[in-house]
């Protein structure tokens, strides 16, 4: 069972790296699925969000199941606050900032950094908040559709975070922990690659 979890984590990181390399910071969308589902799938359409969420999920999972459970409301609240503050003009700054955060988070996983619980919780909240700020919508402010889309996005962020953190939190064997550290190094490298593509004008 533990081997299956580790293979799942490796496959997810590989897919994340491929998406990040091919579409760095692209704010894609899913047309024809409805406002709520477009918001729900939004974290999968934006490579910076995908890399950051996988990284922070693995980071939390590495700290154990109790920390994952405690982080769920933190991620939810921070993302919703960020979504409320999101504006189109924040994207050029928030996207690269999110990739930097993902790179440092992956590095923390690779080094198995033992941050104090409070500092780790603050870091998780900051990443969730920046994801929210980097998720503006062109729907009319105050409209029902806008709130539906933002609700879908916040749920999508929370589900992806939980999906990544849960299997990692249940890993106990020493060789599996080493594998997770390798995953962290891949995540950090993927974030740096995406950031380089953006900085050189090759990212969308």
């Amino acid at each position: 069972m533990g081997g299956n979890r580790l293979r799942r984590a490796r496959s997810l990181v590989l897919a994340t790296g491929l998406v990040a390399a091919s579409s760095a910071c692209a704010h894609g969308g899913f047309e024809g699925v409805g406002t709520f589902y477009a918001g729900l799938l939004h974290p999968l359409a934006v490579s910076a969000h995908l890399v950051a969420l996988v990284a922070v999920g693995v980071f939390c999972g590495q700290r154990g199941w109790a920390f994952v459970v405690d982080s769920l409301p933190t991620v939810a609240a921070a993302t919703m606050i960020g979504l409320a503050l999101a504006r189109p003009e924040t994207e050029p700054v928030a996207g690269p900032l999110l990739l930097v955060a993902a790179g440092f988070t992956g590095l923390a996983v690779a080094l198995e950094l033992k941050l104090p619980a409070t500092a780790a919780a603050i870091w998780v909240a900051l990443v969730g908040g920046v994801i929210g700020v980097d998720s503006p919508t062109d729907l009319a402010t105050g409209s029902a559709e806008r709130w539906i889309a933002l609700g879908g996005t916040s749920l999508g962020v929370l589900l992806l975070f939980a999906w990544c953190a849960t299997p990692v939190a249940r890993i106990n064997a020493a060789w599996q922990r080493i594998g997770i550290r390798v995953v962290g190094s891949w995540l950090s490298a993927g974030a740096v690659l995406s950031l380089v593509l953006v900085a050189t004008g090759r990212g969308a």
Side-chain angles (χ1 to χ4, degrees), residues 3 20 22 33 40 44 62 91 100 128 134 144-145 160 164 173 177 189-190:
S22 62
V33 297
L40 183 70
L44 299 176
Q62 194 179 46
E91 287 187 69
V100 171
D134 194 42
E145 279 198 329
L160 182 55
C164 296
R177 292 197 298 272

Side-chain angles (χ1 to χ4, degrees), residues 17-56:
L18 292 173
V19 172
S22 62
S23 58
C25 270
H27 276 65
F30 294 86
E31 295 183 4
V33 297
T35 304
F36 175 78
Y37 289 107
L40 183 70
L41 296 171
H42 181 77
L44 299 176
V46 184
S47 59
H49 296 191
L50 183 58
V51 173
L53 278 171
V54 173
V56 81

Side-chain angles (χ1 to χ4, degrees), residues 9 37 39 55 104 116 144 169-170 180 184 194 198:
Y37 289 107
F104 278 112
R170 298 184 180 279
I180 291 302
S194 294
V198 172

Side-chain angles (χ1 to χ4, degrees), residues 53-75:
L53 278 171
V54 173
V56 81
V58 173
F59 171 76
C60 290
Q62 194 179 46
R63 297 183 63 87
W65 178 245
F67 189 79
V68 171
V69 173
D70 290 342
S71 296
L72 287 172
T74 301
V75 171

Side-chain angles (χ1 to χ4, degrees), residues 147-167:
W147 288 111
I148 290 172
L150 295 183
T153 299
S154 60
L155 180 60
V157 166
L158 195 61
L159 289 176
L160 182 55
F161 165 79
W163 192 82
C164 296
T166 299

